Amino acid sequence: METIILEIDPLNIEEEKIKKAAQAIKENKTVVFPTETVYGLGANGFSENAVRKIFEAKGRPFDNPLILHVANIKSFLEFSYISYSLLEKIERLLPGPVTFVLRKKEIIPNIVTAGKNTVAIRMPAHPIALKLIEYAGVPIAAPSANISGKPSSTLSEHVIHDLKGKVDYIIIGGKVEFGVESTVIDLTQGKVPVLLRPGPIPPEKLKEIFGDIEIPKFVYGIVEADYIKAPGMRYKHYSPNTPVILIEHDEKENMVNKVVDEYQKYSNAIVLCLREHSLFYKEKNINYDIIGSEDNYYEFAAKLFEMLRKYDEKVEVMIVEGIEDKGIGIAVMNRLRKASEKTV
Ligand code: TXA
Ligand code: MG
């Protein structure tokens, strides 16, 4: 199918173009758009027919529910059963890189929520995303804009690579801000909110707002069979075709030694390393690229999927230096543990 590409500057949005994309949503077509986390693949969240096209374009299993993207706070009241006191709490994080799982209202078709009685709702902070939803006049169901199981798209070239020819429109709107998907928090599990997916909003911030929260072990890559609450967790995720070896964070000396041990097992590996370690690898003539630094985990998050895609099928194996499970580092390590074949 023919894909129409619309280039839009997020800081100077051309009304004509965004209206064209919003019209496409109204006509139940598929539109890829930027958000502050990763690119999304959207369609009219009220239309079963439109939402089916999303699953087909991505090759996504129908039992993995989608996030409903909205442009204002009152949409939470329209699409879910939420108390005013809870709404006041979540308002403090909106718009932003966070998704709330709530009890679903009838108006949302079952295809969006994979037949569940809960719905994931997110109000993104990206100006293009917000305008698109607002002008479309309907909520936009959207997963990340990548082929199912592959790393999410953080650059326009990623969406073009994965989805050109499979969707009606692609809005090119520059680089995303965070580079990892939104924090997903389940508010339907009784007393305490449950963190289903770590993201840019860290647990400390959630605790500040909700008091206590539950952080299941799977968030840290420890999988207990009976604790699969986020449907998306069952599937292999974020994996490039080239194997990834993850070196868990440690003191510099231990880490670089482990990296060198692994590196020597292959004839064509790349090390994705912390800036602080790059000189060491350079002196040893090791093939490396910098993915982030010890003192800025946001940079690491923003480059994570970009790097996994950049070296995919270019090397035999990617050896990635991990960071600490703190702040956005929890989200980074969650994705890396899922992407990797092996952890050292
Ligand atoms: O940052 C993001 O959230 C991006 C951008 C495009 O907004 N979207 C995104 O969507 O990452 P997706 O489909 O790749 O991930 C949504 C996650 C999945 O793991 C899904 O299983 C979970 O949210 N989810 C959706 N609805 C749910 C529900 N009702 N209960 C529990 N988990 C749900
Ligand atoms: Mg995804």
Side-chain angles (χ1 to χ4, degrees), residues 1 17 112 228 309:
M1 83 198 262
K17 289 184 183 171
V112 173
I228 301 197
R309 281 177 175 264

Side-chain angles (χ1 to χ4, degrees), residues 33-41 58 60 63-69 97-99 101-102 112-113 116-122 124 142-146 152 180-184 186 196-197 200 229-233 235 237-238 338:
F33 61 98
T35 83
E36 76 276 35
T37 55
V38 299
Y39 274 79
L41 162 49
K58 278 193 69 144
R60 182 178 177 109
D63 62 353
N64 191 4
L66 306 180
I67 296 174
L68 204 60
H69 294 68
V98 58
T99 297
V101 174
L102 295 157
V112 173
T113 61
K116 291 166 73 71
N117 59 5
T118 56
V119 59
I121 310 182
R122 152 157 152 75
S144 49
N146 50 277
S152 297
V180 289
E181 306 83 352
S182 63
T183 303
V184 180
D186 187 348
L196 295 183
R197 181 175 71 183
K229 279 188 179 156
M233 288 184 31
Y235 306 103
H237 256 113
Y238 317 113
K338 286 184 189 176

